[in-house]
């Protein structure tokens, strides 16, 4: 989804955003193979670009245009010069990897070759678990479920003036795994990952499992970790490693990494 405004001459969004005049209403950009001709070099190339409808054109080489975009278009965001990209989400029913751009100000279309570079950022973060056990070789721990006890799941994203989420107070128990998984002595991924709203976690992880002794007797366990206190930030991938013992569950490791390299497209 792409939208654009005309800014006063020689101003960027910081200075001229409040005076922005709508130019391109929110429109869907679609991938299309185009023949691009450089008239100064008399050279022609074929490239795949993201384009809006043919009737949406730059009408003047001198106009100071500013663009904002989000992806995918099906996320049904809104766009205005006060809040930027706006989108309300419930991550329990919508696992869209929401991307957005800061305002891209283009002063002259001829200098940019009629192309607008759009640099996307992630509005959500990603959380997942790994698990290992701390028992002898003739014993066994079978994981039955892993859940974070209290997670906010609804909120509204706004990209201006600074990207931020307004998180609703409703919380839920968020399950990452349900089933039967025989754990091992080394960490391994378990269950699913969740696209999550950036938020301050102050909760616990509940793990249900079976401990099978060397004598093949089974003990059912449902234990909680120490409080999980993490400030989940947009665009990052969080991996928590749980170490499960006979009668305890501890955090072995927390890995935080940037999710992906910056994505770029042309419209």
């Amino acid at each position: 989804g792409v939208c654009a405004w005309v800014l006063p001459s020689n101003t960027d969004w910081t200075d001229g955003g409040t005076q922005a005049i709508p130019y391109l209403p929110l429109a869907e950009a679609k991938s299309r193979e185009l023949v691009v001709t450089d008239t100064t070099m008399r050279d022609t190339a074929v490239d795949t670009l993201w384009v809006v409808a043919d009737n949406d054109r730059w009408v003047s080489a001198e106009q100071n245009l500013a663009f904002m975009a989000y992806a995918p278009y099906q996320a049904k965001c809104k766009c205005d010069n006060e809040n930027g990209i706006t989108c309300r989400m419930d991550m329990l029913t919508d696992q869209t990897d929401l991307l957005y751009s800061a305002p891209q100000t283009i002063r002259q279309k001829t200098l940019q070759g009629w192309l607008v570079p759009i640099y996307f950022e992630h509005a959500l973060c990603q959380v997942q678990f790994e698990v290992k056990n701390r028992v002898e070789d003739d014993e066994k721990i079978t994981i039955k479920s892993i859940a974070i006890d209290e997670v906010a799941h609804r909120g509204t994203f706004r990209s201006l003036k600074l990207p931020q989420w307004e998180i609703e107070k409703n919380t839920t128990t968020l399950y990452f795994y349900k089933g039967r998984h025989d754990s091992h002595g080394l960490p391994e991924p378990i269950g699913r990952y969740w696209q999550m709203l950036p938020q301050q976690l102050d909760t616990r992880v509940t793990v249900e499992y079976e401990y099978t002794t060397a004598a093949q007797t089974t003990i059912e366990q449902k234990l909680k970790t120490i409080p999980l206190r993490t400030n989940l930030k947009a665009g990052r991938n969080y991996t928590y490693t749980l170490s499960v013992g006979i009668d305890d569950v501890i955090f072995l490791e927390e890995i935080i990494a940037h999710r992906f390299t910056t994505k770029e497209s042309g419209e």
Side-chain angles (χ1 to χ4, degrees):
V2 183
C3 46
W5 293 265
V6 179
L7 298 181
S9 300
N10 300 317
T11 61
D12 59 16
W13 189 269
T14 302
D15 297 326
T18 58
Q19 306 171 58
I21 300 173
Y23 174 76
L24 173 65
L26 186 61
E28 182 178 9
K30 297 182 178 181
S31 176
R32 185 186 303 175
E33 186 177 87
L34 295 177
V35 176
V36 182
T37 302
D38 187 333
T39 56
T40 59
M41 300 294 291
R42 296 183 179 180
D43 191 18
T44 299
V46 177
D47 201 353
T48 300
L49 302 173
W50 292 86
V51 298
V52 293
D54 290 339
N55 61 326
D56 294 315
R57 298 293 187 184
W58 299 47
V59 295
S60 170
E62 290 74 35
Q63 277 189 322
N64 180 18
L65 298 183
F67 292 79
M68 278 186 275
Y70 73 91
Y73 181 73
Q74 290 72 21
K76 297 181 179 179
C77 297
K78 298 179 181 179
C79 187
D80 60 56
N81 65 333
E82 180 179 357
N83 296 307
I85 304 298
T86 304
C87 188
R88 185 177 184 272
M89 293 186 68
D90 185 338
M91 70 182 212
L92 296 181
T93 58
D94 186 355
Q95 279 287 287
T96 300
D97 185 13
L98 179 62
L99 305 176
Y100 71 96
S101 78
Q104 307 293 311
T105 301
I106 308 299
R107 305 234 180 249
Q108 292 185 10
K109 70 176 181 179
T110 52
L111 294 179
Q112 301 297 326
W114 289 271
L115 297 178
V116 181
I118 300 293
Y119 301 93
F120 287 110
E121 301 288 344
H122 291 269
L124 299 169
C125 62
Q126 186 172 292
V127 177
Q128 56 202 359
F129 281 89
E130 293 182 345
V131 68
K132 69 176 292 293
N133 68 41
R134 287 176 285 110
V135 296
E136 300 297 329
D137 292 342
D138 56 354
E139 300 172 322
K140 184 171 68 172
I141 285 183
T142 303
I143 307 298
K144 297 172 67 176
S145 71
I146 297 175
I148 299 180
D149 291 351
E150 295 178 274
V151 173
H153 59 94
R154 285 200 298 260
T156 300
F157 174 76
R158 296 179 178 86
S159 66
L160 295 179
K161 299 181 178 178
L162 294 174
Q164 58 185 298
W165 281 90
E166 182 180 340
I167 304 297
E168 299 179 21
K169 294 182 179 180
N170 308 69
T171 62
T172 188
T173 299
L174 192 64
Y175 282 89
F176 288 77
Y177 179 75
K178 284 185 176 182
R180 294 186 64 84
H181 173 84
D182 291 336
S183 60
H184 300 92
L186 294 175
E188 55 188 355
I190 184 171
R192 62 168 297 173
Y193 67 81
W194 279 94
Q195 308 276 6
M196 288 182 59
L197 275 59
Q199 59 188 280
Q200 179 67 55
L201 291 180
D202 187 2
T203 182
R204 297 175 188 264
V205 175
T206 299
V207 181
E208 292 187 70
Y209 63 95
E210 291 177 354
Y211 164 56
T212 304
T213 69
Q216 298 304 300
T217 58
T218 299
I219 300 173
E220 299 283 345
Q221 296 279 30
K222 183 177 182 180
L223 301 178
K224 294 181 181 292
T225 65
I226 63 173
L228 174 60
R229 296 188 175 100
T230 304
N231 183 18
L232 300 179
K233 295 183 179 180
R236 294 190 177 180
N237 185 342
Y238 297 81
T239 301
Y240 297 99
T241 301
L242 298 173
S243 179
V244 183
I246 296 173
D247 56 4
D248 68 346
V249 178
I250 63 174
F251 289 109
L252 180 67
E253 190 175 30
E254 175 189 45
I255 301 172
I256 303 173
H258 290 286
R259 291 181 55 192
F260 302 101
T261 56
T262 301
K263 295 184 178 181
E264 175 182 343
S265 67
E267 180 269 309

